[in-house]
């Protein structure tokens, strides 16, 4: 396809059609089910799906069929099926993925901005869900339109927009099973729920960490006691819990001790990480708002990137049994509960890792303390991209040159997208393009979330060329 035609089609669609409709999507408080227990009653998720469905239906994609799928008790999903162009009927299915559910609004938005108030300012669209990732369905549709406008080819394309990603995609396995006949033979997966370190090049995610999530409670007393009487006689539940965690993590370095949570980092991923550090030095060390004189765990950028993408970590993200300081009395509490969040290397076995953590927390517990673990612990495998097919390598070289003017980069992402692991297992022979318009300063999940409109248009152009390259093999 000729790049000029692709660019003109994409820019026109984004300027005249995408931005107005995406702004309307921002206005819908479509909180993910984990943050809105009454989502089925409030119907905000349904409203978001209907909003995007109506927009796509009005675009006139040749032969497109749209369906809102809603299994009992599960949040809705938008399924769009676009037939292949005549020259690509034997190329399998391209699955384009995004999500329409959102993180909570949280407080602290800047003056003039708000989570449900779309604001256009300096080439940015502000509002919750603009970049994470309400834009994805619009970008995928516009890329398909650009292929047609430029006389290109694309295989059968299926657009799947779920509404539970921010809750860990709990309904997605059921939907994939329900839709497996309609999905057919998936040969290319395009995920638009990612991004990179800058807005100057195309960024690909080559791996995603897995995760474990569980609560652990240590209990020594049947009821709280006066600390002046009981301390020194009965151990502190907090101290026992701290001892148990020492079996799992080296508190001085943060290194995870359990071998089931570790893997050997592949040489190609080390090399790609080194390339990323060379083009964006200082990014990780300057990415987060450190307090006072606080520092990152090391000054070595390569080690920071490998820590973030390929090494296991433990974060304590919640606690119970601890009163707020102004309310704390001289009491030896009966129990302490902590919520443990582990990030696992992309190729680690999450089930084996969870079993190892359970053993470490429940075997030979000091003082015979009772240890209770949450019944419904979450264990999700990560994902490591397959080697690129020659057609994809050439397509990436071309779009990097023609659309961005500089080489693309591939990087591991520290977060999780459960959908990728699921698809990697179901379609081991498929190629994967995990990319997106999110930058390190896009403020996803926090106040002042924004979408870089020029960059989103470039990503859209890139996807159009990749679709055409896939169709031509």
């Amino acid at each position: 396809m000729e790049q000029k035609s692709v660019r003109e089609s994409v820019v026109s669609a984004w300027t005249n059609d995408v931005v107005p409709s995406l702004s309307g999507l921002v206005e819908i408080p479509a909180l993910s089910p984990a943050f809105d227990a009454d989502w089925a009653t409030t119907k905000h998720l349904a409203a978001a799906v209907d909003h995007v469905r109506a927009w796509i239906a009005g675009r006139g994609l040749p032969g497109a069929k749209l369906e809102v799928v809603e299994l009992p008790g599960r949040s809705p999903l938008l399924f769009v099926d676009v037939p292949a162009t005549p020259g690509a009927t034997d190329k399998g299915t391209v699955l384009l993925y995004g999500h329409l559910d959102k993180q909570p609004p949280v407080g602290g938005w800047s003056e003039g901005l708000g989570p449900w108030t779309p604001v256009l300012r300096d080439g940015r669209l502000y509002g919750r869900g603009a970049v994470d990732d309400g834009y994805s369905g619009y970008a995928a549709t516009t890329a398909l339109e650009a292929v047609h406008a430029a006389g290109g080819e694309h295989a059968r394309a299926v657009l799947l927009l779920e509404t539970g990603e921010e809750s860990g995609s709990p309904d997605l396995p059921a939907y994939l099973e329900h839709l497996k006949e309609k999905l057919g033979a998936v040969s290319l997966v395009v995920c638009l729920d990612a991004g990179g370190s800058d807005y100057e090049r195309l960024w690909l995610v080559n791996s995603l960490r897995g995760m474990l999530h569980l609560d652990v409670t240590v209990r020594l007393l049947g009821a709280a006691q006066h600390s002046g009487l009981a301390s020194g006689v009965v151990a502190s539940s907090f101290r026992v819990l701290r001892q148990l965690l020492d079996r799992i993590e080296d508190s001085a370095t943060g290194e995870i001790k359990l071998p089931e949570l570790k893997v050997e980092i592949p040489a190609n991923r080390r090399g790609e990480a080194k390339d990323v550090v060379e083009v964006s030095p200082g990014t990780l060390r300057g990415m987060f708002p450190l307090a006072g004189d606080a520092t990152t765990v090391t000054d070595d950028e390569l080690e920071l990137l490998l820590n973030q993408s390929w090494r296991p970590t433990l974060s304590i993200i919640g606690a119970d049994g601890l009163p707020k300081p102004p309310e704390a009395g001289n009491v030896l509490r009966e129990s302490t509960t902590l919520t443990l969040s582990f990030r696992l290397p992309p190729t680690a076995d999450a089930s084996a890792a969870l079993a190892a953590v359970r053993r470490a927390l429940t075997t030979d517990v000091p003082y015979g303390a009772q240890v209770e673990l949450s019944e419904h612990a979450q264990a999700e495998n990560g994902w490591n991209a397959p080697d690129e097919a020659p057609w994809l390598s050439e397509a990436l070289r071309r779009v990097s040159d023609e659309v961005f003017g500089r080489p693309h980069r591939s990087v591991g992402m520290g977060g999780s997208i459960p959908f990728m692991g699921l698809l990697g297992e179901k379609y081991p022979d498929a190629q994967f393009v995990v990319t997106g318009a999110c930058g390190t300063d896009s403020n996803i999940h926090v106040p002042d979330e924004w979408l870089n409109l020029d960059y989103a248009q470039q990503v859209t152009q890139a996807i159009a060329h990749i679709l055409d390259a896939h169709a031509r093999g």
Side-chain angles (χ1 to χ4, degrees):
M1 294 189 302
E2 200 274 317
Q3 164 58 10
K4 183 174 182 291
S5 297
V6 172
R7 180 177 57 79
E8 290 176 349
S9 174
V10 168
V11 171
S12 175
W14 266 90
T15 303
N16 300 319
D17 304 306
V18 172
V19 171
S21 183
L22 179 55
S23 296
L25 181 62
V26 167
E27 294 176 346
I28 302 172
L31 294 181
S32 196
F35 310 110
D36 180 10
D38 297 323
W39 61 267
T41 302
T42 60
K43 298 189 181 300
H44 295 315
L45 291 175
V49 169
D50 288 342
H51 181 88
V52 177
R53 181 201 57 76
W55 185 84
I56 296 176
R59 302 306 295 169
L61 278 172
K65 297 179 181 179
L66 290 82
E67 179 184 3
V68 177
V69 186
E70 187 165 5
L71 296 176
R74 303 186 185 278
S75 61
L77 175 147
L78 179 58
F79 186 84
V80 183
D81 191 340
V82 183
T85 54
T89 56
D90 62 343
K91 297 297 183 178
T93 297
V94 178
L95 179 55
L96 300 116
Y97 167 83
H99 67 88
L100 299 176
D101 58 314
K102 305 179 184 183
Q103 282 280 321
V106 304
W109 289 67
S110 298
E111 184 176 356
L113 302 178
W116 319 127
T117 304
V119 174
L120 284 170
R121 183 185 296 172
D122 300 326
R124 303 176 175 188
L125 175 61
Y126 287 87
R128 179 63 83 227
V131 66
D132 185 25
D133 77 355
Y135 85 96
S136 60
Y138 294 94
T141 302
T142 301
L144 288 166
E145 291 179 334
V147 172
H148 286 271
E153 302 278 358
H154 68 75
R156 173 180 177 248
V158 167
L159 175 57
L160 190 155
L161 299 175
E162 66 155 321
T163 57
E165 194 276 341
E166 300 292 4
S167 301
S169 299
D171 297 336
L172 204 50
Y175 277 117
L176 288 177
E177 180 65 23
H178 178 73
L179 296 169
K180 65 180 180 181
E181 297 300 326
K182 292 185 177 181
L183 289 173
V186 175
S187 55
L188 172 63
V189 176
V190 177
C191 172
L192 291 165
D193 192 22
S197 298
D198 58 41
Y199 304 106
E200 299 178 357
R201 70 190 74 242
L202 183 67
W203 289 91
L204 300 179
V205 173
N206 55 33
S207 64
L208 296 159
R209 285 194 292 184
M211 67 176 297
L212 300 180
H213 187 102
L214 72 157
D215 295 339
V216 54
T217 300
V218 168
R219 187 183 310 276
L220 286 104
L221 288 167
Q225 300 294 315
H226 190 297
S227 62
L229 299 177
S231 64
V233 178
V234 180
S236 160
S237 59
F238 186 90
R239 178 165 68 85
V240 173
L241 187 44
R242 186 173 59 185
Q243 286 180 268
L244 295 176
L245 293 180
D246 282 343
R247 300 174 176 180
I248 297 172
E249 178 195 47
D250 184 329
S251 60
T253 65
E255 181 182 356
I256 298 299
K257 299 177 179 179
L258 303 181
E260 292 86 351
L261 278 66
K262 299 180 179 182
V263 303
E264 186 72 25
I265 302 175
N268 64 328
R269 298 302 183 226
R270 281 185 175 273
E272 289 163 339
K274 184 178 179 181
D275 290 341
V276 169
V277 170
E278 289 177 353
V279 300
S280 55
T283 297
L284 277 176
R285 283 189 288 116
M287 182 181 296
F288 307 106
L290 300 174
D293 295 327
T295 66
T296 53
V297 298
T298 177
D299 289 334
D300 188 321
E301 285 274 328
L302 178 58
E303 290 304 303
L304 289 177
L305 187 53
L306 294 174
N307 285 349
Q308 186 193 52
S309 57
W310 275 92
R311 293 189 178 117
T313 59
L314 168 61
S315 301
I316 308 300
I317 62 171
D320 198 7
L322 295 164
K324 295 181 179 180
E327 302 167 0
N330 291 319
V331 172
L332 188 66
R333 297 170 295 102
E334 62 266 36
S335 67
T336 301
T337 299
L338 296 179
T339 299
L340 312 183
S341 177
F342 294 87
R343 294 294 177 170
L344 304 177
T347 55
D349 183 328
S351 295
L354 178 59
V357 170
R358 288 185 181 276
R359 286 194 300 272
L361 294 173
T362 58
T363 303
D364 296 327
V365 179
Y367 309 110
Q370 293 181 3
V371 177
E372 304 162 11
L373 303 180
S374 49
E375 292 184 12
H376 304 293
Q378 185 177 358
E380 299 286 351
N381 286 328
W383 169 79
N384 189 32
D387 292 339
E388 290 175 6
W391 70 263
L392 180 55
S393 296
E394 173 58 24
L396 292 171
R397 185 204 60 76
R398 181 183 176 193
V399 299
S400 296
D401 180 43
E402 296 185 0
V403 179
F404 296 91
R406 61 191 66 204
H408 74 281
R409 286 291 179 263
S410 297
V411 65
M413 192 167 82
S416 301
I417 304 176
F419 184 65
M420 290 300 102
L422 289 171
L423 285 184
E425 294 177 5
K426 286 184 175 293
Y427 306 107
D429 297 325
Q431 290 288 287
F432 284 77
V433 176
V434 182
T435 186
C438 182
T440 57
D441 58 350
S442 295
N443 296 329
I444 61 171
H445 297 197
V446 298
D448 297 353
E449 177 181 340
W450 62 279
L451 171 68
N452 184 317
L453 294 173
D454 287 343
Y455 187 65
Q457 292 174 33
Q458 288 181 297
V459 171
T460 303
Q461 294 172 50
I463 297 305
H465 285 292
I466 290 169
L467 291 173
D468 181 70
H470 168 257
R472 300 177 190 278

